[in-house]
Amino acid sequence: MTKDVIALTQKMPDPLSVIAGLLSGGPDKLVGTEGEGAVVQLCDEQGRPLVSVEAPLLVQVRGEAERLLGAREPEVPYWWTEARATTGVAEAEQLAGTFAARLASLVGGTAWPPQAATSLAVVKTDGVSAVPTPAAAQPAVDVLTDKVAVVIQDRPVVAMTAWLSDALRAAAAAELGLQIVTPAGTRLSPAVRNSLPGWPSRWVVQDEEDGYYDGLSGAVLEWKNGLFVTVESPDATPQDPRTPVADSFKQDLAENAAMGERQLAISFRAVHPADDRLVLGGALETVWREITGEPPAGWGTEEPANLPWSLRQLTDAAHERSPAPTWLVVVGTPERPGLATVRISRTKGGVEEDVTLAFGYGPGEEVPTDAVRAAAEALATRHDLQSMLVQIRKARRDLSVPPRFEGPGVPFAFVLGAEEVRAMPGDRARRTPLQEAPIPLGPRTRPALYYPLPGDPADLSGWQDFERLMRHLKGTS
């Protein structure tokens, strides 16, 4: 497994401290740079990287180290410095650990994982060399084939770090899939789950019994012809592939169902007229306030989310990247877990905000379904809502995605924006096959419509109602 070692320090690592850390391999170890100097690398005698060190990130959002690492973090603000060791080289892992240990010792702080950063001594690396790295590979990529880029991660939660974000972009540019390989105990951040492309990209989980399986579908996998593919059953036919499902993926279903943890999942799209005065993020903040009573805690263009919540800074970031799209992650407080991914893009219709949002609730905590309608009305009247889907699902309170079956969400409500209602012929939007009539939201002359749905995770008929509604609205029923 590739080893990521992270220094969490109260003070910014100064140049002398970084140099002392980089001397963990001795004074004659080669140093190189990548990413226009944003990544510093300790290299072998042939110039191949043994350890890659990302530029320090100032984290001003409470709870991110606990959420992503399970680590006790310094008081905010603090600095997060990642060192990534090259796969399969034990000395590289020691170099990364020593670098982080020296940095934490000199600047003041801690290193994660603690067992990886226990020595300040120079690591003996004479004669050690790394496997040649393909020119197209990013520091996060461990294996590169003509079909996929493979990233091996050994951390509690696979997050959308700068490393992984670069690997996703590089794989997409090369028209390759991205396959993330983890041990059995690892979970995904929702930011990674929401951003992982379709086949051949997938989450590959190591398993003692079945070897490997897909962490999202449970399908047993094998390495074949340069990528992980599903194992075919001996009884498979073209009509019935009968893909085996790993026992580990199916275990503890009854226990998970009895835990009482739930998520309120909201996805919506808002389309704003293009205007230099447009402020972005207001729609998400409105929903967050209606559901939790407070604004988001922070945001960023990667994980950990490092910036305090600010509509102006978010808007400026999107404006600077335009016309290219902007991807963001937004988080809540440890007391009320919440996480959203936002994609802002310029289209013919204007400026679109696509938001996928979830809040977590534990046993005894009530899911505030009564606030959903108020949030929908605020979006419809003030934030150019196009559509919105709300679901309730039995899933972890901390929002992380385990390599286990959790079950689908069940639709609680669907909302159609005012412009979409007006664009439908006749009164199709108002006369539906559902038992309950849609509820108008906003001005009577230009209402959006709120469609109530069962929303009970124990009653999957809610999906049947939702599908009937979609067919009706599209005119295909």
Side-chain angles (χ1 to χ4, degrees):
M1 284 288 179
T2 300
K3 293 295 183 182
D4 296 343
V5 185
I6 300 166
L8 305 174
T9 59
Q10 200 74 60
K11 297 179 181 179
M12 179 180 179
D14 59 88
L16 289 178
S17 300
V18 173
I19 291 172
L22 292 173
L23 289 174
S24 57
D28 56 349
K29 192 57 57 184
L30 297 177
V31 176
T33 61
E34 288 286 339
E36 299 180 353
V39 177
V40 179
Q41 297 176 321
L42 284 174
C43 304
D44 63 14
E45 294 175 355
Q46 288 74 40
R48 296 188 291 254
L50 293 169
V51 176
S52 299
V53 180
E54 184 81 7
L57 182 70
L58 179 62
V59 178
Q60 304 175 69
V61 181
R62 184 171 59 89
E64 286 296 87
E66 180 181 357
R67 178 176 73 89
L68 299 175
L69 304 176
R72 184 175 181 179
E73 62 189 10
E75 292 185 8
V76 293
Y78 61 90
W79 293 88
W80 178 303
T81 307
E82 292 211 17
R84 183 174 174 82
T86 297
T87 304
V89 182
E91 291 82 359
E93 297 176 12
Q94 296 172 28
L95 282 172
T98 301
F99 169 83
R102 288 186 172 192
L103 205 61
S105 176
L106 291 170
V107 182
T110 59
W112 178 94
Q115 66 272 18
T118 57
S119 174
L120 302 177
V122 171
V123 178
K124 295 182 179 180
T125 57
D126 295 340
V128 173
S129 62
V131 175
T133 304
Q138 300 293 312
V141 173
D142 297 287
V143 178
L144 189 65
T145 74
D146 60 348
K147 299 180 180 68
V148 296
V150 178
V151 174
I152 305 175
Q153 290 273 275
D154 185 9
R155 49 202 295 173
V157 177
V158 176
M160 186 58 76
T161 60
W163 306 110
L164 188 57
S165 180
D166 287 345
L168 274 167
R169 283 193 293 267
E175 299 183 348
L176 300 173
L178 184 77
Q179 298 191 335
I180 303 172
V181 181
T182 73
T186 295
R187 293 165 278 125
L188 294 188
S189 162
V192 176
R193 173 65 183 89
N194 296 342
S195 302
L196 196 63
W199 186 90
S201 298
R202 60 180 7 134
W203 175 23
V204 181
V205 180
Q206 293 181 328
D207 184 64
E208 291 185 359
E209 182 175 344
D210 292 296
Y212 299 94
Y213 68 91
D214 189 300
L216 300 177
S217 71
V220 178
L221 305 174
E222 63 179 344
W223 180 261
K224 187 176 181 180
N225 298 327
L227 76 166
F228 284 97
V229 297
T230 54
V231 172
E232 293 186 5
S233 169
D235 303 323
T237 65
Q239 293 74 29
D240 184 6
R242 299 186 182 181
T243 301
V245 176
D247 289 337
S248 296
F249 184 77
K250 298 180 289 185
Q251 72 181 16
D252 300 331
L253 292 183
E255 180 182 342
N256 291 342
M259 289 178 64
E261 295 183 317
R262 293 189 175 191
Q263 293 178 9
L264 178 64
I266 302 172
S267 56
F268 67 87
R269 173 178 292 178
V271 183
H272 312 287
D275 190 310
D276 290 340
R277 296 170 295 178
L278 174 64
V279 176
L280 297 165
L284 175 59
E285 180 179 309
T286 295
V287 174
W288 212 293
R289 286 183 180 276
E290 291 288 348
I291 300 299
T292 70
E294 58 187 13
W299 71 284
T301 56
E302 62 195 51
E303 290 183 291
N306 65 312
L307 299 170
W309 180 248
S310 167
L311 294 178
R312 174 50 58 192
Q313 289 183 355
L314 186 154
T315 301
D316 289 344
H319 182 75
E320 289 174 4
R321 297 184 179 206
S322 184
T326 297
W327 181 92
L328 307 169
V329 60
V330 180
V331 298
T333 63
E335 294 76 23
R336 171 54 57 222
L339 188 143
T341 55
V342 184
R343 183 177 175 84
I344 300 169
S345 54
R346 183 69 179 267
T347 67
K348 293 181 179 179
V351 180
E352 293 188 5
E353 289 184 280
D354 286 289
V355 178
T356 301
L357 166 65
F359 298 102
Y361 300 87
E365 292 182 314
E366 184 177 354
V367 180
T369 53
D370 54 345
V372 169
R373 183 173 160 184
E377 183 150 22
L379 289 181
T381 55
R382 303 199 302 270
H383 296 288
D384 308 304
L385 178 68
Q386 185 180 75
S387 62
M388 175 180 180
L389 175 62
V390 183
Q391 303 176 59
I392 299 175
R393 59 191 303 256
K394 293 180 179 179
R396 295 175 62 102
R397 182 182 187 271
D398 65 9
L399 306 177
S400 64
V401 183
R404 304 284 186 273
F405 179 78
E406 286 191 309
V410 175
F412 177 80
F414 177 74
V415 185
L416 197 62
E419 290 301 320
E420 282 62 39
V421 170
R422 291 184 64 186
M424 287 196 174
D427 59 353
R428 180 190 298 170
R430 294 173 176 80
R431 299 176 63 87
T432 73
L434 304 181
Q435 291 184 352
E436 292 190 54
I439 302 169
L441 302 177
R444 293 183 179 180
T445 56
R446 287 185 64 255
L449 292 178
Y450 179 97
Y451 301 88
L453 295 163
D456 183 356
D459 182 7
L460 295 182
S461 65
W463 275 113
Q464 298 174 359
D465 288 343
F466 178 69
E467 290 170 357
R468 288 168 57 208
L469 174 61
M470 292 299 99
R471 289 196 299 269
H472 171 79
L473 295 177
K474 293 176 181 177
T476 59
S477 58

